[in-house]
C-alpha cells in the first residue's frame, strides 16, 4: 500500500551512539528528495512533549556525518511513560502537522514508540542505534562497530601496561543483558578471558586461566568482563533502572568485585581493573557505521512510503528488512555459539 506523509518528525532517544547523525542526515535528505517535509524533534520524547521542533533542510544536516553523538540531543523522559505525557506529545505532532514519526534509538525508545503508535494510530518507524547490538531481527545496530573499535584500542593500550608490569588487567565494558560488545571486543583485542551475561562464570576456572598464563611465562593476563556478568549462583553487581524512551543504566563494579574475589581465593599477582564507561559511546563513527546508518535512514523513509508502520528497520544478510516492534523488543538476540567457542580457543 502506497502512503505519502506530509511531514515526518524525527528524533533520537536513549543512549547516544556513533552514527545517529548519519541516520538523521539520511532521513532528512531521503524525505526531502520525495517532497516530504522533515521536522527534527530535539531531546527525544522530552522535546516531543515540550514542543522543541524545528523544520530541517538539507543544509541543517550538511557536514554532520563524521560527528559522534546526536546534534538533536537526547534526554530522559519519565513523563512519556504516562498517558498524559504521551497525550501532550501527540498534541505537538498535531500542532506541527507531523503525520509520521521516525525514532532513532534502542529497545527503550522502541517500547515507547510502540505504545505511542497504538494509542494515537500514527505510523512510526524505528532505526536501531545502540552500541549493545542487542535488538532481535538485525545483524547490526548503528554505533556497535565504532564502540568495538574504541574498546579494542583501549585493550591494546592496556596490554602495554599489563606486559610491562606483569599484571592482571580486568576491563569492564557495557552490556547488562547481552555480551556482544564483550565477546567481540575480547576477540579483536586478543583478551585471555571473556565473561558475559549469557554464561555465568566459574571463578575457579578464571583463576586457573590466570595461573596458566604465568606458568607459561606470558607474564600478564587481560580479562574482558561485561557489566552484566555474574558468577555461577551469584547476582549482577549494582542496580539498573529503565525508563521508557531512555535507558538509564549504570551497573558497574563487576570488575572491582571480581578483582576482590580473585584475591580472596589466592591469586597473588598484581590485579588492576578499569571501567571504560561512556568512553565506549563516543567518537567519530567508523565507515561501517556511517554506511549502515545511511542505508537505514533512507530505508526508514521508504518504509513509510510503502505503508509500513510500527516496525524497526533491520539488516539481514546485507539486505534491508522490517521487523515489528514487538519482536525486536521482546525476542532475545542470541550470541553465535561458534563465535563464543572461537574466543575460547583463541584465548587458550
Amino acid at each position: 500500500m502506497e502512503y505519502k506523509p506530509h511531514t515526518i518528525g524525527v528524533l533520537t532517544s536513549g543512549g547516544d551512539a556513533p552514527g545517529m547523525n548519519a541516520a538523521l542526515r539520511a532521513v532528512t535528505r531521503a524525505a526531502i528528495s520525495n517532497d516530504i517535509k522533515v521536522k527534527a524533534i530535539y531531546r527525544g520524547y522530552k522535546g516531543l512533549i515540550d514542543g522543541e521542533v524545528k523544520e530541517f533542510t538539507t543544509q541543517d544536516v550538511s557536514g554532520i556525518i563524521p560527528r559522534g553523538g546526536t546534534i538533536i540531543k537526547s534526554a530522559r523522559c519519565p513523563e512519556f511513560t504516562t498517558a498524559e505525557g504521551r497525550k501532550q506529545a501527540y498534541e505537538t505532532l498535531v500542532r506541527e502537522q507531523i503525520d509520521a514519526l521516525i525514532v532513532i534509538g534502542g529497545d527503550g525508545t522502541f517500547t515507547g514508540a510502540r505504545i505511542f503508535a497504538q494509542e494515537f494510530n500514527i505510523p512510526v518507524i524505528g532505526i536501531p542505534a545502540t552500541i549493545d547490538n542487542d535488538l532481535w531481527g538485525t545483524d547490526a545496530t548503528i554505533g556497535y562497530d565504532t564502540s568495538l573499535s574504541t574498546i579494542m584500542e583501549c585493550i591494546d593500550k592496556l596490554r602495554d601496561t599489563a606486559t610491562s608490569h606483569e599484571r592482571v588487567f580486568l576491563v569492564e565494558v557495557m552490556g547488562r543483558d547481552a555480551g556482544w560488545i564483550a565477546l567481540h571486543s575480547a576477540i579483536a583485542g586478543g583478551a585471555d578471558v571473556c565473561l558475559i551475561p549469557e554464561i555465568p562464570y566459574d571463578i575457579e576456572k578464571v583463576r586457573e586461566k590466570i595461573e596458566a598464563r604465568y606458568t607459561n611465562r606470558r607474564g600478564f593476563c587481560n580479562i574482558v568482563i561485561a557489566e552484566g556478568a555474574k558468577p555461577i549462583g551469584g547476582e549482577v553487581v549494582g542496580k539498573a533502572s529503565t525508563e521508557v524512551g531512555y535507558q538509564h543504566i549504570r551497573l558497574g563494579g563487576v570488575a572491582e568485585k571480581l578483582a576482590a574475589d580473585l584475591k580472596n581465593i589466592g591469586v597473588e599477582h598484581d590485579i588492576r581493573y578499569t571501567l571504560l564507561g561512556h568512553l565506549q559511546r563516543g567518537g567519530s563513527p567508523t565507515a561501517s557505521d556511517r554506511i549502515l546508518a545511511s542505508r537505514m535512514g533512507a530505508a526508514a523513509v521508504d518504509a513509510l512510503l510503502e505503508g509500513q508502520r510500527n516496525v524497526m528497520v533491520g539488516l539481514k544478510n546485507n539486505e534491508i528488512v522490517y521487523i515489528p516492534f514487538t519482536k525486536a523488543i521482546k525476542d532475545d538476540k542470541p550470541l553465535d555459539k561458534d563465535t563464543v567457542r572461537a574466543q575460547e580457543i583463541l584465548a587458550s
Side-chain angles (χ1 to χ4, degrees), residues 27-59:
V27 168
T28 301
R29 295 194 169 182
I32 291 173
S33 71
N34 283 283
D35 297 319
I36 302 170
K37 290 183 179 180
V38 179
K39 291 191 176 182
I41 300 159
Y42 283 74
R43 295 174 181 82
Y45 292 126
K46 184 178 187 301
L48 189 56
I49 291 174
D50 295 342
E52 293 188 71
V53 179
K54 175 187 174 183
E55 184 170 346
F56 262 27
T57 66
T58 56
Q59 286 73 31

mmCIF file of all heavy atoms in Angstrom, residues 27-59:
data_model
loop_
_atom_site.group_PDB
_atom_site.id
_atom_site.type_symbol
_atom_site.label_atom_id
_atom_site.label_comp_id
_atom_site.label_asym_id
_atom_site.label_seq_id
_atom_site.Cartn_x
_atom_site.Cartn_y
_atom_site.Cartn_z
ATOM 1 N N VAL A 27 17.709 10.364 6.786
ATOM 2 C CA VAL A 27 16.255 10.554 6.868
ATOM 3 C C VAL A 27 15.870 11.897 6.259
ATOM 4 O O VAL A 27 14.931 11.986 5.449
ATOM 5 C CB VAL A 27 15.788 10.486 8.340
ATOM 6 C CG1 VAL A 27 14.340 10.981 8.464
ATOM 7 C CG2 VAL A 27 15.902 9.063 8.879
ATOM 8 N N THR A 28 16.600 12.932 6.632
ATOM 9 C CA THR A 28 16.285 14.282 6.159
ATOM 10 C C THR A 28 16.379 14.382 4.641
ATOM 11 O O THR A 28 15.450 14.855 3.963
ATOM 12 C CB THR A 28 17.232 15.310 6.805
ATOM 13 O OG1 THR A 28 17.100 15.245 8.227
ATOM 14 C CG2 THR A 28 16.927 16.714 6.324
ATOM 15 N N ARG A 29 17.466 13.900 4.096
ATOM 16 C CA ARG A 29 17.666 14.051 2.653
ATOM 17 C C ARG A 29 16.781 13.113 1.841
ATOM 18 O O ARG A 29 16.300 13.481 0.756
ATOM 19 C CB ARG A 29 19.140 13.857 2.317
ATOM 20 C CG ARG A 29 19.993 14.967 2.937
ATOM 21 C CD ARG A 29 21.386 15.058 2.392
ATOM 22 N NE ARG A 29 22.025 16.284 2.852
ATOM 23 C CZ ARG A 29 23.239 16.667 2.522
ATOM 24 N NH1 ARG A 29 23.981 15.907 1.726
ATOM 25 N NH2 ARG A 29 23.747 17.799 2.987
ATOM 26 N N ALA A 30 16.514 11.919 2.376
ATOM 27 C CA ALA A 30 15.625 10.989 1.668
ATOM 28 C C ALA A 30 14.202 11.523 1.652
ATOM 29 O O ALA A 30 13.495 11.408 0.640
ATOM 30 C CB ALA A 30 15.669 9.610 2.324
ATOM 31 N N ALA A 31 13.771 12.112 2.757
ATOM 32 C CA ALA A 31 12.418 12.669 2.810
ATOM 33 C C ALA A 31 12.274 13.852 1.858
ATOM 34 O O ALA A 31 11.314 13.924 1.073
ATOM 35 C CB ALA A 31 12.095 13.095 4.237
ATOM 36 N N ILE A 32 13.239 14.772 1.903
ATOM 37 C CA ILE A 32 13.161 15.959 1.052
ATOM 38 C C ILE A 32 13.203 15.577 -0.422
ATOM 39 O O ILE A 32 12.511 16.184 -1.259
ATOM 40 C CB ILE A 32 14.299 16.941 1.410
ATOM 41 C CG1 ILE A 32 14.039 17.547 2.802
ATOM 42 C CG2 ILE A 32 14.426 18.041 0.375
ATOM 43 C CD1 ILE A 32 15.174 18.390 3.344
ATOM 44 N N SER A 33 13.963 14.545 -0.750
ATOM 45 C CA SER A 33 14.016 14.109 -2.154
ATOM 46 C C SER A 33 12.678 13.545 -2.624
ATOM 47 O O SER A 33 12.421 13.455 -3.833
ATOM 48 C CB SER A 33 15.118 13.054 -2.343
ATOM 49 O OG SER A 33 14.755 11.832 -1.737
ATOM 50 N N ASN A 34 11.823 13.169 -1.670
ATOM 51 C CA ASN A 34 10.480 12.692 -2.007
ATOM 52 C C ASN A 34 9.415 13.755 -1.756
ATOM 53 O O ASN A 34 8.221 13.432 -1.637
ATOM 54 C CB ASN A 34 10.157 11.440 -1.188
ATOM 55 C CG ASN A 34 10.833 10.198 -1.712
ATOM 56 O OD1 ASN A 34 10.408 9.618 -2.713
ATOM 57 N ND2 ASN A 34 11.911 9.776 -1.050
ATOM 58 N N ASP A 35 9.855 15.012 -1.668
ATOM 59 C CA ASP A 35 8.953 16.154 -1.450
ATOM 60 C C ASP A 35 8.162 16.033 -0.151
ATOM 61 O O ASP A 35 6.974 16.373 -0.084
ATOM 62 C CB ASP A 35 7.989 16.314 -2.636
ATOM 63 C CG ASP A 35 8.716 16.624 -3.935
ATOM 64 O OD1 ASP A 35 9.669 17.429 -3.883
ATOM 65 O OD2 ASP A 35 8.357 16.056 -4.980
ATOM 66 N N ILE A 36 8.824 15.542 0.887
ATOM 67 C CA ILE A 36 8.222 15.428 2.212
ATOM 68 C C ILE A 36 8.983 16.343 3.163
ATOM 69 O O ILE A 36 10.216 16.348 3.168
ATOM 70 C CB ILE A 36 8.282 13.975 2.737
ATOM 71 C CG1 ILE A 36 7.578 13.019 1.766
ATOM 72 C CG2 ILE A 36 7.669 13.879 4.129
ATOM 73 C CD1 ILE A 36 7.801 11.563 2.105
ATOM 74 N N LYS A 37 8.256 17.114 3.956
ATOM 75 C CA LYS A 37 8.903 17.966 4.938
ATOM 76 C C LYS A 37 9.470 17.119 6.090
ATOM 77 O O LYS A 37 8.939 16.054 6.409
ATOM 78 C CB LYS A 37 7.912 18.981 5.509
ATOM 79 C CG LYS A 37 7.490 20.068 4.528
ATOM 80 C CD LYS A 37 6.571 21.072 5.214
ATOM 81 C CE LYS A 37 6.166 22.183 4.251
ATOM 82 N NZ LYS A 37 5.260 23.170 4.916
ATOM 83 N N VAL A 38 10.522 17.626 6.698
ATOM 84 C CA VAL A 38 11.135 16.949 7.841
ATOM 85 C C VAL A 38 11.225 17.937 8.999
ATOM 86 O O VAL A 38 11.700 19.062 8.833
ATOM 87 C CB VAL A 38 12.554 16.434 7.510
ATOM 88 C CG1 VAL A 38 13.160 15.766 8.738
ATOM 89 C CG2 VAL A 38 12.511 15.463 6.350
ATOM 90 N N LYS A 39 10.783 17.491 10.157
ATOM 91 C CA LYS A 39 10.906 18.315 11.358
ATOM 92 C C LYS A 39 11.668 17.525 12.413
ATOM 93 O O LYS A 39 11.262 16.427 12.804
ATOM 94 C CB LYS A 39 9.533 18.750 11.871
ATOM 95 C CG LYS A 39 8.843 19.744 10.927
ATOM 96 C CD LYS A 39 7.618 20.381 11.541
ATOM 97 C CE LYS A 39 7.024 21.437 10.601
ATOM 98 N NZ LYS A 39 5.844 22.100 11.195
ATOM 99 N N ALA A 40 12.795 18.098 12.840
ATOM 100 C CA ALA A 40 13.616 17.464 13.872
ATOM 101 C C ALA A 40 13.048 17.799 15.243
ATOM 102 O O ALA A 40 12.690 18.948 15.518
ATOM 103 C CB ALA A 40 15.061 17.938 13.765
ATOM 104 N N ILE A 41 12.962 16.782 16.081
ATOM 105 C CA ILE A 41 12.459 16.946 17.440
ATOM 106 C C ILE A 41 13.649 16.840 18.390
ATOM 107 O O ILE A 41 14.308 15.791 18.451
ATOM 108 C CB ILE A 41 11.401 15.873 17.762
ATOM 109 C CG1 ILE A 41 10.230 15.999 16.778
ATOM 110 C CG2 ILE A 41 10.925 16.005 19.211
ATOM 111 C CD1 ILE A 41 9.406 14.746 16.652
ATOM 112 N N TYR A 42 13.943 17.904 19.089
ATOM 113 C CA TYR A 42 15.117 17.947 19.953
ATOM 114 C C TYR A 42 14.836 17.276 21.294
ATOM 115 O O TYR A 42 13.747 17.333 21.822
ATOM 116 C CB TYR A 42 15.559 19.397 20.181
ATOM 117 C CG TYR A 42 16.295 19.987 19.002
ATOM 118 C CD1 TYR A 42 15.616 20.357 17.837
ATOM 119 C CD2 TYR A 42 17.678 20.141 19.026
ATOM 120 C CE1 TYR A 42 16.292 20.886 16.742
ATOM 121 C CE2 TYR A 42 18.366 20.671 17.942
ATOM 122 C CZ TYR A 42 17.666 21.032 16.802
ATOM 123 O OH TYR A 42 18.341 21.542 15.714
ATOM 124 N N ARG A 43 15.874 16.594 21.819
ATOM 125 C CA ARG A 43 15.840 15.965 23.142
ATOM 126 C C ARG A 43 14.816 14.840 23.250
ATOM 127 O O ARG A 43 14.153 14.677 24.271
ATOM 128 C CB ARG A 43 15.629 17.010 24.236
ATOM 129 C CG ARG A 43 16.808 17.975 24.309
ATOM 130 C CD ARG A 43 16.602 19.114 25.275
ATOM 131 N NE ARG A 43 17.790 19.982 25.251
ATOM 132 C CZ ARG A 43 18.009 20.928 24.328
ATOM 133 N NH1 ARG A 43 17.109 21.151 23.390
ATOM 134 N NH2 ARG A 43 19.127 21.629 24.343
ATOM 135 N N GLY A 44 14.682 14.082 22.173
ATOM 136 C CA GLY A 44 13.882 12.872 22.199
ATOM 137 C C GLY A 44 12.425 13.092 22.568
ATOM 138 O O GLY A 44 11.797 14.082 22.181
ATOM 139 N N TYR A 45 11.875 12.157 23.366
ATOM 140 C CA TYR A 45 10.468 12.245 23.736
ATOM 141 C C TYR A 45 10.184 13.455 24.620
ATOM 142 O O TYR A 45 9.074 13.982 24.630
ATOM 143 C CB TYR A 45 10.037 10.959 24.444
ATOM 144 C CG TYR A 45 10.009 9.752 23.526
ATOM 145 C CD1 TYR A 45 10.698 8.592 23.845
ATOM 146 C CD2 TYR A 45 9.284 9.777 22.341
ATOM 147 C CE1 TYR A 45 10.680 7.490 23.011
ATOM 148 C CE2 TYR A 45 9.254 8.688 21.491
ATOM 149 C CZ TYR A 45 9.954 7.542 21.827
ATOM 150 O OH TYR A 45 9.931 6.464 20.984
ATOM 151 N N LYS A 46 11.185 13.903 25.359
ATOM 152 C CA LYS A 46 11.004 15.108 26.171
ATOM 153 C C LYS A 46 10.727 16.309 25.278
ATOM 154 O O LYS A 46 9.839 17.128 25.555
ATOM 155 C CB LYS A 46 12.234 15.368 27.034
ATOM 156 C CG LYS A 46 12.101 16.543 27.988
ATOM 157 C CD LYS A 46 13.338 16.721 28.843
ATOM 158 C CE LYS A 46 13.124 17.795 29.911
ATOM 159 N NZ LYS A 46 12.791 19.100 29.314
ATOM 160 N N GLY A 47 11.498 16.419 24.197
ATOM 161 C CA GLY A 47 11.287 17.511 23.260
ATOM 162 C C GLY A 47 9.958 17.400 22.540
ATOM 163 O O GLY A 47 9.350 18.412 22.174
ATOM 164 N N LEU A 48 9.488 16.156 22.342
ATOM 165 C CA LEU A 48 8.186 15.958 21.702
ATOM 166 C C LEU A 48 7.077 16.473 22.616
ATOM 167 O O LEU A 48 6.114 17.085 22.156
ATOM 168 C CB LEU A 48 7.988 14.467 21.398
ATOM 169 C CG LEU A 48 6.778 14.094 20.540
ATOM 170 C CD1 LEU A 48 6.790 14.823 19.207
ATOM 171 C CD2 LEU A 48 6.741 12.580 20.316
ATOM 172 N N ILE A 49 7.226 16.235 23.905
ATOM 173 C CA ILE A 49 6.245 16.744 24.868
ATOM 174 C C ILE A 49 6.333 18.267 24.986
ATOM 175 O O ILE A 49 5.313 18.963 25.013
ATOM 176 C CB ILE A 49 6.465 16.085 26.251
ATOM 177 C CG1 ILE A 49 6.092 14.600 26.194
ATOM 178 C CG2 ILE A 49 5.654 16.796 27.334
ATOM 179 C CD1 ILE A 49 6.413 13.832 27.455
ATOM 180 N N ASP A 50 7.559 18.784 25.027
ATOM 181 C CA ASP A 50 7.762 20.229 25.240
ATOM 182 C C ASP A 50 7.640 21.063 23.969
ATOM 183 O O ASP A 50 7.675 22.298 24.032
ATOM 184 C CB ASP A 50 9.143 20.467 25.852
ATOM 185 C CG ASP A 50 9.267 19.869 27.243
ATOM 186 O OD1 ASP A 50 8.223 19.583 27.869
ATOM 187 O OD2 ASP A 50 10.412 19.651 27.700
ATOM 188 N N GLY A 51 7.545 20.407 22.819
ATOM 189 C CA GLY A 51 7.390 21.145 21.568
ATOM 190 C C GLY A 51 8.671 21.724 21.011
ATOM 191 O O GLY A 51 8.646 22.761 20.324
ATOM 192 N N GLU A 52 9.804 21.077 21.280
ATOM 193 C CA GLU A 52 11.087 21.544 20.748
ATOM 194 C C GLU A 52 11.280 20.989 19.330
ATOM 195 O O GLU A 52 11.906 19.957 19.131
ATOM 196 C CB GLU A 52 12.234 21.091 21.646
ATOM 197 C CG GLU A 52 12.238 21.738 23.011
ATOM 198 C CD GLU A 52 13.497 21.391 23.779
ATOM 199 O OE1 GLU A 52 14.585 21.888 23.402
ATOM 200 O OE2 GLU A 52 13.405 20.610 24.737
ATOM 201 N N VAL A 53 10.722 21.668 18.371
ATOM 202 C CA VAL A 53 10.667 21.168 16.998
ATOM 203 C C VAL A 53 11.206 22.213 16.037
ATOM 204 O O VAL A 53 10.935 23.412 16.184
ATOM 205 C CB VAL A 53 9.211 20.810 16.617
ATOM 206 C CG1 VAL A 53 9.147 20.300 15.177
ATOM 207 C CG2 VAL A 53 8.638 19.774 17.576
ATOM 208 N N LYS A 54 11.955 21.768 15.053
ATOM 209 C CA LYS A 54 12.481 22.674 14.032
ATOM 210 C C LYS A 54 12.439 21.975 12.670
ATOM 211 O O LYS A 54 12.851 20.822 12.539
ATOM 212 C CB LYS A 54 13.933 23.053 14.349
ATOM 213 C CG LYS A 54 14.587 23.903 13.266
ATOM 214 C CD LYS A 54 16.074 24.111 13.533
ATOM 215 C CE LYS A 54 16.724 24.844 12.363
ATOM 216 N NZ LYS A 54 18.190 25.002 12.538
ATOM 217 N N GLU A 55 11.953 22.677 11.665
ATOM 218 C CA GLU A 55 11.964 22.118 10.314
ATOM 219 C C GLU A 55 13.400 22.088 9.789
ATOM 220 O O GLU A 55 14.137 23.074 9.931
ATOM 221 C CB GLU A 55 11.082 22.937 9.376
ATOM 222 C CG GLU A 55 11.005 22.324 7.975
ATOM 223 C CD GLU A 55 9.959 22.966 7.084
ATOM 224 O OE1 GLU A 55 9.098 23.714 7.606
ATOM 225 O OE2 GLU A 55 10.006 22.729 5.861
ATOM 226 N N PHE A 56 13.784 20.978 9.220
ATOM 227 C CA PHE A 56 15.141 20.793 8.719
ATOM 228 C C PHE A 56 15.187 20.895 7.197
ATOM 229 O O PHE A 56 14.250 20.487 6.503
ATOM 230 C CB PHE A 56 15.677 19.416 9.142
ATOM 231 C CG PHE A 56 16.551 19.454 10.374
ATOM 232 C CD1 PHE A 56 16.406 20.436 11.338
ATOM 233 C CD2 PHE A 56 17.525 18.485 10.589
ATOM 234 C CE1 PHE A 56 17.201 20.474 12.473
ATOM 235 C CE2 PHE A 56 18.330 18.504 11.714
ATOM 236 C CZ PHE A 56 18.171 19.499 12.658
ATOM 237 N N THR A 57 16.291 21.435 6.715
ATOM 238 C CA THR A 57 16.600 21.443 5.288
ATOM 239 C C THR A 57 17.853 20.590 5.089
ATOM 240 O O THR A 57 18.472 20.135 6.052
ATOM 241 C CB THR A 57 16.867 22.874 4.797
ATOM 242 O OG1 THR A 57 18.076 23.361 5.417
ATOM 243 C CG2 THR A 57 15.714 23.802 5.140
ATOM 244 N N THR A 58 18.257 20.408 3.861
ATOM 245 C CA THR A 58 19.475 19.648 3.605
ATOM 246 C C THR A 58 20.686 20.341 4.213
ATOM 247 O O THR A 58 21.647 19.687 4.619
ATOM 248 C CB THR A 58 19.696 19.465 2.094
ATOM 249 O OG1 THR A 58 19.714 20.741 1.454
ATOM 250 C CG2 THR A 58 18.595 18.614 1.476
ATOM 251 N N GLN A 59 20.632 21.676 4.318
ATOM 252 C CA GLN A 59 21.747 22.412 4.900
ATOM 253 C C GLN A 59 21.902 22.125 6.401
ATOM 254 O O GLN A 59 23.017 22.154 6.936
ATOM 255 C CB GLN A 59 21.565 23.922 4.687
ATOM 256 C CG GLN A 59 21.815 24.386 3.255
ATOM 257 C CD GLN A 59 20.706 23.980 2.301
ATOM 258 O OE1 GLN A 59 19.549 23.886 2.710
ATOM 259 N NE2 GLN A 59 21.053 23.742 1.036
#
